[in-house]
């Protein structure tokens, strides 16, 4: 469910007409809907019945300050993966105790910043990191709550580039090694190991891999408890998929995911935390673009739009498909044609869709790529010296640019010629 719908013949974000935004902001731009984000947040929160749960939004999926501020206002915690994200969420209003620090290669400087900031939990991904953190915490006179992130050897059945829980992946500690590391962690000063963390991948569209991983986590928790460890907290990661391609089988609903979680962990008496990213923001954002050129070749008609792979990387990176719709609502009997939807970047992988049938497009038409709120702006770059595109937040009838397009001068501000070339 989202709040990007046609009203009076044009696409709106809640009550704001998209053509008005395009005229004022210029294309391409991202547009986020507060009501959609709130709805997803509430639905996910409600999925776990009476279980004691907490949400830590995965910041990497959408690090926009306004989005983070909304989530902080609603009481969400945050899952961060860098020192930059830590500083960002603190600025957005996060409470330190509601921050979980994940990440496979945290630097000593990042760990120190996290310990000094009193983050609620640090997820340890290797024995080496465990020792570094213990030394650091001891030096700073602190005790840090830690989880060991296990790699449960479960294939998430998602795109290879976003699966994280198999033996081949760099993430987590092999689950068979975890008990031994737990014993070591318990013996180290400055660490308070009470939790187990797991995250097996992203855009997962089947409950089975989640359940397989969660059963392993439960077994591990029971085993460690039998040894006398006080395991009172499980961090179950994110990864639940969202519908991108509306002709495919839809991913499980949060309620089904919640029912499975209750089945696995219902009587364990552990606090459970979740790190959803995509599920909360994916549907809450669209990318608005303009058709720049229509080019008819011998085999195909190319619709070249002004958004490129540098603005929305997912199709090039993950073979992802985003539904594209015209901003002006087509008549029911509108003529249609087959298009290759591509961007202006000088790469053949700069392609959003192949052989899609759409109502006939004209140059200058506005189009919207849907479900672009997660890993969209977050992964964008300035490749081809294209400025990062603006982000707009809508709330009812209100809207604001929450990240503006930089000027060329701002883009160049970090460049300097060496003295011998100046
Ligand atoms: C990326 C990531 C998430 C979020 O994944 P989504 O698929 O966006 O829900 C959660 N936890 C960790 C540790 C991650 O790396």
């Amino acid at each position: 469910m989202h709040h990007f719908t046609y009203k009076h013949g044009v696409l709106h974000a809640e009550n704001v007409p998209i053509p008005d935004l395009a005229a004022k902001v210029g294309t391409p731009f991202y547009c986020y809907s507060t009501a959609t984000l709130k709805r997803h947040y509430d639905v996910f929160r409600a999925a776990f019945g009476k279980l004691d749960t907490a949400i830590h939004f995965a910041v990497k999926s959408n690090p926009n300050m306004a989005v983070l501020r909304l989530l902080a206002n609603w009481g969400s915690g945050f899952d961060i993966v860098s020192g930059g994200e830590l500083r960002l969420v603190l600025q957005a209003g996060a409470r330190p105790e509601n921050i979980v620090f994940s990440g496979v290669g945290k630097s000593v400087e990042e760990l120190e910043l996290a310990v000094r900031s009193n983050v609620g939990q640090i997820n340890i991904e290797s024995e080496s990191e465990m020792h570094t953190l213990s030394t650091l915490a001891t030096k700073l006179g602190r005790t840090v709550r830690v989880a060991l992130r296990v790699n449960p050897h479960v294939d998430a059945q998602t795109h290879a580039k976003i699966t994280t829980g198999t033996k081949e992946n760099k993430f987590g500690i092999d689950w068979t090694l975890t008990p031994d590391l737990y014993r070591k962690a318990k013996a180290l000063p400055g660490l308070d190991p009470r939790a187990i963390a797991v995250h097996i991948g992203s855009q997962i569209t089947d409950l089975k891999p989640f359940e397989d991983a969660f059963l392993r986590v439960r077994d591990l928790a029971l085993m460690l408890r039998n040894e006398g460890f006080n395991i009172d907290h499980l961090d179950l990661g994110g990864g639940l998929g969202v519908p991108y391609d509306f002709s495919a089988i839809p991913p499980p609903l949060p309620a089904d995911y919640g029912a499975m979680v209750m089945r696995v962990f219902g009587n364990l008496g552990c606090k459970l935390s979740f790190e959803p990213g995509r599920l909360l923001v994916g549907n809450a954002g669209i990318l608005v673009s303009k058709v720049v050129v229509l080019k008819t070749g011998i085999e195909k008609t190319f619709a070249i739009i002004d958004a490129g792979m540098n603005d929305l990387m997912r199709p090039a990176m993950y073979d992802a498909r985003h539904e594209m719709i015209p901003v002006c609502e087509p008549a029911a009997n509108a003529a249609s044609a087959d298009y290759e939807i591509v961007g202006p970047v000088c790469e053949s992988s700069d392609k959003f869709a192949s052989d899609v049938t759409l109502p006939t497009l004209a140059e200058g038409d506005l189009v919207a790529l849907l479900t672009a709120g997660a890993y969209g702006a977050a992964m964008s770059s300035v490749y081809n010296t294209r400025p990062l595109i603006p982000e707009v937040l809508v709330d009812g009838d209100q809207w604001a640019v929450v990240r503006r397009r930089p000027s060329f001068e701002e883009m160049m501000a970090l460049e300097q010629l060496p003295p011998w070339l100046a």
Side-chain angles (χ1 to χ4, degrees):
M1 228 290 284
H2 60 75
H3 293 266
F4 299 100
T5 53
Y6 291 116
K7 295 177 193 173
H8 321 295
V10 293
L11 189 66
H12 281 59
E14 304 188 23
N15 300 327
V16 178
I18 295 296
D20 289 9
L21 291 179
K24 289 184 176 124
V25 177
T27 56
F29 65 94
Y30 280 100
C31 177
Y32 307 129
S33 152
T34 304
T36 311
L37 184 60
K38 181 70 163 77
R39 188 193 134 82
H40 294 336
Y41 180 75
D42 289 342
V43 166
F44 191 75
R45 228 165 37 124
F48 306 99
K50 291 196 190 65
L51 292 183
D52 182 11
T53 58
I55 294 185
H56 296 101
F57 172 66
V59 175
K60 73 173 193 274
S61 65
N62 188 321
N64 182 277
M65 177 71 85
V67 166
L68 300 176
R69 171 63 59 86
L70 284 171
L71 287 159
N73 285 350
W74 300 331
S76 180
F78 297 93
D79 173 63
I80 57 163
V81 293
S82 72
E85 285 190 355
L86 173 53
R87 299 176 67 172
L88 177 65
V89 294
L90 289 173
Q91 236 184 72
R95 301 229 308 265
E97 64 270 28
N98 291 343
I99 298 173
V100 173
F101 192 7
S102 302
V104 70
K106 308 174 198 79
S107 70
V108 178
E109 292 76 17
E110 288 175 317
L111 285 170
E112 175 154 358
L113 182 65
V115 175
R116 284 187 188 278
S117 307
N118 286 317
V119 303
Q121 178 176 305
I122 298 183
N123 290 354
I124 289 179
E125 296 233 11
S126 67
E127 181 164 0
S128 162
E129 183 177 64
M130 187 172 90
H131 288 286
T132 306
L133 186 57
S134 167
T135 309
L136 200 64
T138 313
K139 182 185 93 183
L140 298 173
R142 309 277 178 95
T143 300
V144 185
R145 285 189 62 131
V146 297
L148 296 193
R149 174 173 174 184
V150 302
N151 180 326
H153 300 175
V154 168
D155 183 349
Q157 305 288 343
T158 182
H159 191 277
K161 287 183 185 162
I162 43 175
T163 196
T164 59
T166 72
K167 281 183 203 172
E168 289 73 35
N169 298 132
K170 67 181 175 182
F171 297 98
I173 296 160
D174 285 272
W175 70 284
T176 50
L177 305 177
T178 324
D180 190 40
L181 242 62
Y182 230 95
R183 290 174 206 119
K184 289 184 180 160
K186 192 74 202 168
L188 285 173
L191 303 184
D192 179 17
R194 293 224 228 142
I196 302 172
V198 70
H199 172 75
I200 58 169
S202 198
Q203 186 53 18
I204 300 169
T205 54
D206 181 4
L207 290 181
K208 178 80 166 52
F210 282 119
E211 186 159 2
D212 291 348
F214 292 172
L215 287 168
R216 278 219 159 132
V217 168
R218 188 185 64 179
D219 288 350
L220 209 52
L222 290 171
M223 197 188 108
L224 290 168
R225 272 189 182 170
N226 267 340
E227 279 195 39
F229 293 106
N230 175 25
I231 305 290
D232 60 5
H233 191 164
L234 303 174
D235 177 347
L236 300 175
L240 189 55
V242 300
Y244 283 105
D245 176 355
F246 294 96
S247 58
I249 303 166
L253 295 171
D256 301 330
Y257 174 85
M260 179 272 292
V261 167
M262 286 190 268
R263 219 167 40 238
V264 176
F265 297 108
N267 52 12
L268 207 62
C270 275
K271 175 160 184 148
L272 304 177
S273 51
F274 298 92
E275 303 166 347
R278 190 189 308 273
L279 187 78
L280 300 188
V281 287
N283 244 334
I286 62 173
L287 171 58
V288 180
S289 184
K290 191 167 69 183
V291 177
V292 185
V293 177
L294 287 170
K295 178 158 105 169
T296 305
I298 292 174
E299 305 240 320
K300 314 254 186 196
T301 299
F302 295 93
I304 304 169
I305 63 176
D306 63 3
M309 64 187 284
N310 67 303
D311 305 310
L312 179 63
M313 172 97 92
R314 298 190 62 263
M317 180 109 148
Y318 308 123
D319 307 309
R321 175 155 147 52
H322 287 261
E323 198 82 9
M324 194 179 96
I325 60 171
V327 166
C328 283
E329 186 172 17
N333 58 355
S336 64
D338 291 344
Y339 294 101
E340 300 287 297
I341 309 294
V342 300
V345 170
C346 298
E347 295 280 340
S348 294
S349 56
D350 185 23
K351 180 189 278 190
F352 294 106
S354 224
D355 266 326
V356 280
T357 307
L358 289 172
T360 312
L361 295 170
E363 291 178 358
D365 280 0
L366 293 173
V367 293
L369 289 148
L370 305 183
T371 323
Y375 307 102
M379 295 179 77
S380 57
S381 78
V382 297
Y383 185 40
N384 280 208
T385 313
R386 291 162 48 84
L388 293 184
I389 66 176
E391 293 167 81
V392 172
L393 180 71
V394 169
D395 182 358
D397 318 313
Q398 312 180 78
W399 66 273
V401 173
V402 289
R403 183 189 169 101
R404 66 179 172 80
R405 195 189 311 274
S407 67
F408 176 74
E409 289 69 28
E410 284 171 307
M411 283 177 74
M412 288 300 112
L414 299 178
E415 302 266 344
Q416 58 195 38
L417 286 171
W420 64 92
L421 290 180

